[in-house]
Amino acid sequence: MVNVTKILYPTDFSDPSACALLYAAEMAKKFNAELIMLHVLLDESQMVSFYLPQLTVKNLSKDMEDGAKAKMEEFIEETNALEGIEYSTAMVKGIADDEIIKFANEKNVDMIVLGTHGRTGLEHVIFGSTAEKVVRSASCPVLTVHCPNSD
């Protein structure tokens, strides 16, 4: 029997991500698993710091972190999906797919559930897909959720 005790749900607070939360929550209920909600922030090295004084970039980073914390709280409040589920939240800085994989490994999660954005054409060729990169690199099963209205 498959033993799932920890599920990682990375979110960027988008509509596809909100749709994936329904699946992550349902999986957590079915397996009586802990759900870890993760948001990855850009770190200072990914910001265009050579155009801005360092102090401004630091303030921007702090503002982004505060905004993400508020958005996470709002995101949780807007859903009834988490009722009766043991969950926690976390934020890290870095490149989304790298940080998701790293976090999953460090926390020994049994499954990752994340939304897709359905990038197509040139955007997909240039940027790829966070979900695709996570699927290719994760050491645990990954459920990707594509919501019909997310294109």
Side-chain angles (χ1 to χ4, degrees):
M1 182 83 182
V2 176
N3 189 23
V4 177
T5 60
K6 280 188 199 174
I7 298 172
L8 178 61
Y9 162 70
T11 182
D12 61 2
F13 312 122
S14 65
D15 288 343
S17 181
C19 183
L21 176 56
L22 300 176
Y23 285 83
E26 191 61 30
M27 298 295 279
K29 286 176 187 172
K30 291 219 184 285
F31 287 107
N32 195 27
E34 174 189 359
L35 180 65
I36 305 171
M37 301 174 67
L38 174 69
H39 179 69
V40 181
L41 291 161
L42 292 174
D43 66 14
E44 290 83 4
S45 68
Q46 294 170 291
M47 294 181 203
V48 189
S49 61
F50 56 88
Y51 287 120
L52 302 168
Q54 191 62 26
L55 181 61
T56 304
V57 172
K58 286 182 183 174
N59 288 343
L60 178 62
S61 178
K62 176 76 170 110
D63 289 346
M64 287 175 57
E65 189 172 331
D66 291 345
K69 286 178 184 175
K71 188 68 178 171
M72 180 73 85
E73 290 172 13
E74 178 184 319
F75 198 68
I76 291 168
E77 286 175 15
E78 288 178 355
T79 182
N80 295 326
L82 298 175
E83 198 170 304
I85 296 173
E86 178 186 344
Y87 73 90
S88 60
T89 63
M91 288 195 199
V92 295
K93 291 182 182 181
I95 298 169
D97 52 289
D98 292 341
E99 294 303 322
I100 292 167
I101 298 299
K102 180 179 167 188
F103 190 91
N105 290 335
E106 287 174 356
K107 299 297 181 182
N108 296 315
V109 301
D110 303 301
M111 175 185 287
I112 301 171
V113 179
L114 74 165
T116 64
H117 284 78
R119 284 187 176 134
T120 59
L122 185 59
E123 184 182 22
H124 180 76
V125 171
I126 293 172
F127 298 109
S129 159
T130 297
E132 181 180 340
K133 292 173 185 173
V134 169
V135 167
R136 290 176 187 243
S137 301
S139 59
C140 64
V142 179
L143 173 64
T144 59
V145 179
H146 179 79
C147 297
N149 299 330
S150 65
D151 290 334

